[in-house]
Amino acid sequence: MARKDFDPSSVRPDARPPAQARLFDPAGEGPWRGSVEGIAMGGDVTVLAYGTDTPGAGPRLHVHPYDETFIVTEGRARFFVGDTVIEAAAGEIVLGPAGIPHRFENLGPGRLQTIDIHHSPRWIQTDLD
C-alpha cells in the first residue's frame, strides 16, 4: 500500500545528525535490559527494554508526567492503568496516559518482553509503592 501523507518538500531538515545507541545487551541478565534517553539521541522520546521469565513479575506501580506507550514484543502481560485492567499479547500496544499510575506483570507462561516508549527526552518517574 503506497502512502503519501504529506509533501516531503514542505519539511525542512532540522540539521540533527542520524544517531545510534545500544538499548540492551541480548545476553544481559535481569528484567531491566536497558534504556536510552531521547536527549542522548537528539530526539523527543526515551526508550526502555524490559523482560522477565517470571510469571507475576513486573515493574512497581509508578507514574510519569507524560504518556508512555508499551509494545509487547513477546509473551503476555496484564497492565493496570488507573482503574483499568488490560491484557495484551505479543504484537499489541498499550497506552499509559500522563499522570495515570500504572504497572504491568507477566501473565506467563514464558517470557514477557516489552519496549516502553516514554514520550519525553528524559526518563522521569515517581514510584508509588
Side-chain angles (χ1 to χ4, degrees):
M1 175 173 124
R3 293 184 59 158
K4 187 170 170 85
D5 296 330
F6 71 100
D7 178 359
S9 68
S10 69
V11 178
R12 297 181 59 87
D14 65 10
R16 287 179 298 157
Q20 178 181 10
R22 180 180 270 293
L23 178 58
F24 65 92
D25 176 356
E29 296 293 324
W32 289 106
R33 306 298 297 279
S35 65
V36 175
E37 289 195 325
I39 197 85
M41 299 286 290
D44 294 330
V45 298
T46 295
V47 180
L48 283 69
Y50 178 87
T52 181
D53 295 309
T54 306
R60 63 185 355 152
L61 185 67
H62 61 277
V63 66
H64 310 284
Y66 49 76
D67 291 347
E68 183 174 9
T69 300
F70 304 93
I71 304 167
V72 180
T73 61
E74 184 178 348
R76 298 180 326 123
R78 179 176 293 126
F79 290 84
F80 301 87
V81 184
D83 294 331
T84 302
V85 178
I86 300 169
E87 291 190 8
E92 296 182 308
I93 63 172
V94 173
L95 174 68
I100 305 295
H102 56 272
R103 69 180 183 85
F104 61 89
E105 62 189 22
N106 182 358
L107 282 177
R111 182 162 189 78
L112 169 65
Q113 187 70 53
T114 66
I115 298 294
D116 308 338
I117 302 171
H118 291 235
H119 297 246
S120 168
R122 296 201 185 274
W123 183 1
I124 303 166
Q125 176 172 311
T126 296
D127 293 333
L128 300 174
D129 65 357

